[in-house]
Amino acid sequence: MCHRMTKQTWLLAVVVSLSSGCTTSIRSSSATHLAAKDSEVFLQGGVDDAARRVAELLSKRGLNMTSKQALKDGSLVYTFKGKRTDLTTVTGGDAFVFGSTNSVGSAVFARFAPKEDGVTQVLFHGKPSMDGRIVCSTDAPTWVPACGDDVYAGSMWQGRDQMTGKDEAEIIRGVMLEMELGQPDGPGAMVARKAEAAAEAAKPACVASEHPAWATSSAVEKKRLLEQCRTPASQVVDTR
């Protein structure tokens, strides 16, 4: 059912519309500012150990655990939420003044997957929120809980620069750095990332053409040097 707008209400709507700009949806996440490989960490111990460590570090940043979801693959997804600031927007003039306050916050999702070697893989993904509503995004991993309705705001709303996903990326970076500088051993301690470890193990032991004897070697000797250097560094036995 449509309602007839009075002249006063119509003027107020025009003032608010002009001052806030076109209303569009806000879609953002930490993935815009943080690569997937920089949102992954491996921690010693089981899922509970890793979850306690992550919860501790996020709590220091004002984010508390609000929900837990079990996935079919055996992993668990925890949701952490927190408020960052309140923004009050005042529009209008001498005749009409309209004010509204919005709470800007953050949500960080953490997926904990147990591995066979007694290590837990942790993946992070963050999104901003407005008035408790988490925004949607087009780059969220499949394990992130589905978002609700789109969050809308005027294109000139002063809070838009705090809803880009940058703040959530910085939260995740801070957590990762603190893990790296934290305890060296025990449950919840950070271990080498498997991707980095695999890359290091696959590195060749040497570059044959850079060997001191390469220039004066015979064809047979050069072949032997090439074969030696093809051996991954991780398989070279130190005979010193």
Side-chain angles (χ1 to χ4, degrees), residues 39-51:
S39 303
E40 177 189 45
V41 67
F42 291 89
L43 302 180
Q44 294 180 24
V47 169
D48 290 342
D49 298 316

Side-chain angles (χ1 to χ4, degrees), residues 112-167:
F112 299 87
K115 299 301 177 181
E116 294 179 356
D117 51 2
V119 169
T120 297
Q121 177 198 45
V122 186
L123 301 175
F124 293 102
H125 186 77
K127 292 184 180 184
S129 66
M130 184 171 72
D131 298 332
R133 297 174 58 202
I134 302 173
V135 305
C136 297
S137 68
T138 55
D139 52 14
T142 56
W143 54 265
V144 172
C147 66
D149 296 329
D150 277 333
V151 174
Y152 290 87
S155 59
M156 296 175 64
W157 176 54
Q158 61 177 328
R160 273 190 173 270
D161 61 351
Q162 298 192 46
M163 301 282 288
T164 63
K166 181 179 179 180
D167 290 271

Side-chain angles (χ1 to χ4, degrees), residues 16 36 66 73 101 103 115 120 157 175 184-185 196 226 237 239:
V16 174
T66 59
D73 61 1
T101 300
S103 294
K115 299 301 177 181
T120 297
W157 176 54
V175 168
D185 198 11
E196 294 176 353
L226 285 169
V237 178
T239 58

Side-chain angles (χ1 to χ4, degrees), residues 5-25:
M5 294 182 67
T6 64
K7 183 177 181 181
Q8 183 179 14
T9 305
W10 181 81
L11 287 173
L12 177 59
V14 171
V15 170
V16 174
S17 176
L18 290 176
S19 60
S20 61
C22 297
T23 301
T24 57
S25 64

Side-chain angles (χ1 to χ4, degrees), residues 85-100:
T85 186
D86 287 325
L87 296 175
T88 299
T89 304
V90 178
T91 57
D94 295 335
F96 305 102
V97 177
F98 177 81
S100 63

